[in-house]
Amino acid sequence: MVHEHDIAGITGLSDAEAAHRLREEGPNSLPSGKKRSVFRIAFDILREPMFLLLAGAGVIYLILGDLQEALILMSFVLLVMGITFYQEQRTERALEALRDLSSPRALVVRDGRQLRVAGVDVVRDDVLILAEGDRVPADAVLLACSNLTVDESLLTGESVPVRKLPCDGPLELGKPGGDDLPSVFAGTLVVKGHGVAQVKAAGAATEMGRIGTALEEIEPEPTLLQRETRHVVFNIALLALFMCVLVFIVYGASRDDWLEGLLVGITLAMAMLPEEFPVVLVVFLTLGAWRISKHQVLTRNMPAVETLGSATVLCVDKTGTLTLNRMTVAKLIAGGVTCDVTQAGYQCPPEEFHQLLEFSVLASQRDPFDPVDTAIARLGDRALNNTEHLHDDWLLEREYPLSPELLALSHVWRSPDGSEYIIAAKGAPEAVADLCHLDIARKEELWSQIEELAGEGLRVLGVARASFALEYLPKDQHDFAFEFLGLVGLEDPVRPGVRDSVRECYGAGIRVIMITGDYPGTARHIAREIGLELTGEVITGPELDAMEDGELRERIGRVSIFTRVVPEQKLRIVRALEANGEVVAMTGDGVNDAPALKAANIGVAMGGRGTDVARESASLVLLDDDFSSIETAVRMGRRIYDNLKKAMSYIIAIHVPIAGMSIIPVLFNLPLVFSPILIAFLEIIIDPACSLAFEAEPEEGDIMERPPRRPDQRIFNKRNVVISLLQGLSVLLIVTAVFSIAHMKSMDEMEIRALTFTTLVVANLGLILTNRSWEHTIWHVRRQPNPALWWIVGGTLALLAFVLYVPFMRDLFQLAFLDGIDIAICLVAGLFSVVWFEALKFITHLRHHPHT
């Protein structure tokens, strides 16, 4: 509790003045960004070419009078719009989470009385009363405090709470981070002590408000895949429009039937329009997000699943990401003997360390918020349970707080019978050594022990004890006759599995960069512990501030550790990497990480300890805070990309014969084979369904041994497109041959259509089977598990039989009955269309693996 003398003479603002400032300056919350209306979001979605194509195709069918097909297409429009709208709405919540976090309840002094108000009602010049466990509601300067420490990791990334002192000059705000400063900041947590502070900044003017403003200004860029798909769909749409007009003119002029020419042109456009692309893209990413959720990774922005597979750099926030952000006692030194508490046999230290632990506990808070006190209390409860070294019945008589002159504190305890005082001190080892008046030899021995612990990245505390029997306690800690008991080394442990995950990232060609608010020595120790590749170069925050952007871009390629970094600098690092052409994934869990998470190509937030702001700003959230989940996400991202490439290539290939068989009869004045309903059957039912087979395809064996694909590498690159077109042309050649032979034999139009259509459906299945792998033959991959494949193959054949042999469906599709010989011809012809590609794969495999 705050002592009465701390607020004596402080009346604070009057209720009227506080209300006036609230009206004039606004509430203590971040301004909400200009939200887009539902209609604006829907309009933006419909402006994209892929959605225009879907909607346009539905309108075309409606004009043609095919209501059923129009409704099918429009249902796809609504489905994709719904999914996209849902994602858009979720990404608007980052600022709302930030506002909620920055607005806790607050205890203020107004009109000379203590009053608890909502955090949003705190105004400039309000007087705050702060106690352990309180979240600071606004940026303020301390007027008085006692033993006050604040966890500022939310803003700075530093895991160790910082000490606070009252202001002894003008009431001016400083910056977060560092000990013995008088400023406290909105959103930070009081872990020890109490204080009185005057508010100097509220709402958007706070440090957290500045982060929120930066977050609001960052516009996420479309992913590489989204940009590429839009580009390809737009180009194909232009080509389809051109061919539609050309066929309309040629047909109308040659046959003098312009209305029929318009219908033929529309049919060709429908055959060429790749309306499967947006559907397949959404299906792949949605199912990918579902699969990855089984590994405790929540996908907030679905395209990021695929993008993560192409990441070249992973920027890692140390505190709470690589480490647990939970201090733990690692080593004890007493009487020159060291006890490693982290080793299995020393979870409960031996008897000779019990007194050191006893007085470490006595020098800490009884119900601690402070992570150091919590760590000591946990070890004390475990090691001293059922011993005489725990003193729950002792009374705390007095606290001697830390001061700039003496970085040590003491707790004076009175025994139950009141006969004596026991004093426990802990603090910086040199301060405790000073209290104990150690001689030079003992100090030199102590310094070597301190250096040993500090070299291991541990935070070191000294512990001492004293007893006192006089009636009045002295004013100063130096008046006690302290005995030095030993040293306590604490660490923020590395998360389990991090080292293996870092190794996996290196194996996958992903560079790992640690970005932290801690000191270089601590960062280097953590880097060695997790297996980070050290280049010898470490850049600190002040050095970063002194650099021009060009110098940073040049040096960032050689640096794997950034230390003493503040939030704005994290954002600058991410942008420098992206300017160098890197695909950047950024992990983090604090408010300070939110702008960088949103600016990175892929933001990966920690879901357990992470703040709402970090989660809402990120593309992916690790629900179990397990860093190793990132490796799983990368693996699945690469698998999704591989399979998406196969699916997109297949779609291009199958469109070639569909479009070809729509234009060849026009050019050679032959009967039209495909009607709009047949094209709808092929494109809306078979093609997306068959693409699901590729989504379920298992990953390639070397998927985590390849380097990331280059940022400029396209899914529709020259090689992929050429192979897809060759596959499509071979199918078109076979289907055209069947069509031509049937026509030369003077078969009727319905029989020609049935033979041609059945051959194309079989060839479609052949394309699916051959595209399962571009390296291995169908025979080689036949045993790879893919249940969806065989369900789709069987379902397609059953659907084909349904269309061919159910009279109503046969009449609807205007097809003839096919006997066994006809079906055999179609099967052989359809499968023969992919034989050349299988032979090419076999020869290529023999060339690279002659002994297999």
Side-chain angles (χ1 to χ4, degrees), residues 293-315:
S293 69
K294 294 181 177 181
H295 298 276
Q296 298 298 303
V297 180
L298 172 66
T299 305
R300 296 195 62 260
N301 180 20
M302 285 189 292
V305 177
E306 177 275 329
T307 309
L308 187 59
S310 65
T312 59
V313 175
L314 179 59
C315 293

Side-chain angles (χ1 to χ4, degrees), residues 500-709:
D500 291 339
S501 297
V502 170
R503 186 174 63 250
E504 288 279 358
C505 288
Y506 285 139
I510 301 172
R511 187 169 151 230
V512 181
I513 295 177
M514 180 196 298
I515 302 177
T516 178
D518 269 334
Y519 291 94
T522 305
R524 280 195 180 95
H525 174 77
I526 294 294
R528 286 192 296 268
E529 196 169 344
I530 65 172
L532 196 69
E533 292 180 356
L534 298 176
T535 59
E537 189 171 358
V538 175
I539 293 180
T540 65
E543 291 172 344
L544 190 61
D545 273 339
M547 285 185 196
E548 297 291 336
D549 288 344
E551 183 185 358
L552 175 59
R553 287 183 57 183
E554 190 275 328
R555 291 183 61 186
I556 204 168
R558 305 189 302 270
V559 178
S560 56
I561 301 177
F562 287 86
T563 64
R564 308 302 292 161
V565 170
V566 296
E568 294 84 355
Q569 293 171 330
K570 292 185 177 185
L571 183 57
R572 191 178 169 204
I573 291 167
V574 169
R575 284 178 166 161
L577 287 165
E578 290 178 337
N580 282 350
E582 305 282 5
V583 178
V584 182
M586 166 75 185
T587 71
D589 65 350
V591 172
N592 59 308
D593 298 319
L597 287 173
K598 193 170 182 181
N601 300 107
I602 315 105
V604 184
M606 298 297 158
R609 295 186 59 85
T611 61
D612 288 343
V613 175
R615 289 191 291 269
E616 293 291 340
S617 301
S619 303
L620 302 175
V621 179
L622 306 184
L623 297 177
D624 56 1
D625 285 4
D626 187 350
F627 182 82
S628 62
S629 298
I630 297 175
E631 182 268 333
T632 302
V634 170
R635 180 186 297 272
M636 298 202 69
R638 292 188 174 191
R639 172 192 166 188
I640 289 169
Y641 179 82
D642 282 355
N643 291 344
L644 193 57
K645 180 179 69 175
K646 297 171 185 176
M648 294 297 191
S649 298
Y650 154 75
I651 290 171
I652 292 175
I654 194 59
H655 265 276
V656 172
I658 296 174
M661 290 309 298
S662 298
I663 195 171
I664 287 175
V666 176
L667 296 178
F668 295 98
N669 199 22
L670 298 172
L672 298 177
V673 179
F674 291 149
S675 62
I677 193 171
L678 277 175
I679 293 176
F681 178 88
L682 288 166
E683 296 185 352
I684 304 302
I685 300 174
I686 295 181
D687 292 352
C690 290
S691 297
L692 296 180
F694 295 110
E695 193 284 327
E697 194 65 26
E699 66 194 43
E700 304 279 349
D702 63 344
I703 198 166
M704 289 302 287
E705 297 171 9
R706 317 172 196 156
R709 72 178 189 274

Side-chain angles (χ1 to χ4, degrees), residues 819-829:
D819 58 24
I821 295 177
D822 293 332
I823 292 295
I825 292 172
C826 294
L827 285 173
V828 172

Side-chain angles (χ1 to χ4, degrees), residues 326-333 339-350 353-362 364-365 368 370-387 389-390 463 487-491:
R326 186 179 69 233
M327 298 300 290
T328 303
V329 177
K331 287 192 175 182
L332 303 172
I333 298 181
C339 175
D340 188 345
V341 184
T342 62
Q343 292 185 2
Y346 292 94
Q347 290 296 303
C348 291
F353 296 95
H354 284 190
Q355 190 178 52
L356 171 61
L357 263 180
E358 173 187 358
F359 281 85
S360 298
V361 172
L362 289 173
S364 304
Q365 298 293 321
D370 181 87
V372 170
D373 287 1
T374 301
I376 291 172
R378 279 200 306 266
L379 182 58
D381 288 343
R382 188 170 70 236
L384 304 179
N385 191 30
N386 298 322
T387 71
H389 296 288
L390 289 179
V463 179
L487 299 172
V488 178
L490 300 105
E491 67 176 352

Side-chain angles (χ1 to χ4, degrees), residues 14-31:
S14 66
D15 288 337
E17 176 63 21
H20 174 73
R21 293 198 179 187
L22 189 62
R23 287 194 303 272
E24 291 293 315
E25 300 178 8
N28 178 34
S29 61
L30 296 183

Side-chain angles (χ1 to χ4, degrees), residues 752-822:
I752 294 174
R753 182 178 294 114
L755 285 168
T756 307
F757 175 69
T758 303
T759 303
L760 183 57
V761 171
V762 174
N764 182 24
L765 295 178
L767 284 174
I768 294 173
L769 295 174
T770 196
N771 278 296
R772 289 187 69 191
S773 173
W774 281 13
E775 285 77 33
H776 303 291
T777 63
I778 294 174
W779 180 259
H780 186 273
V781 298
R782 72 190 188 283
R783 293 182 179 176
Q784 288 185 4
N786 189 342
L789 172 71
W790 304 114
W791 277 104
I792 288 169
V793 170
T796 302
L797 293 175
L799 190 58
L800 177 62
F802 180 67
V803 169
L804 288 174
Y805 299 112
V806 173
F808 169 76
M809 295 299 297
R810 192 166 60 239
D811 293 340
L812 181 65
F813 281 79
Q814 297 182 355
L815 301 173
F817 181 90
L818 296 182
D819 58 24
I821 295 177
D822 293 332

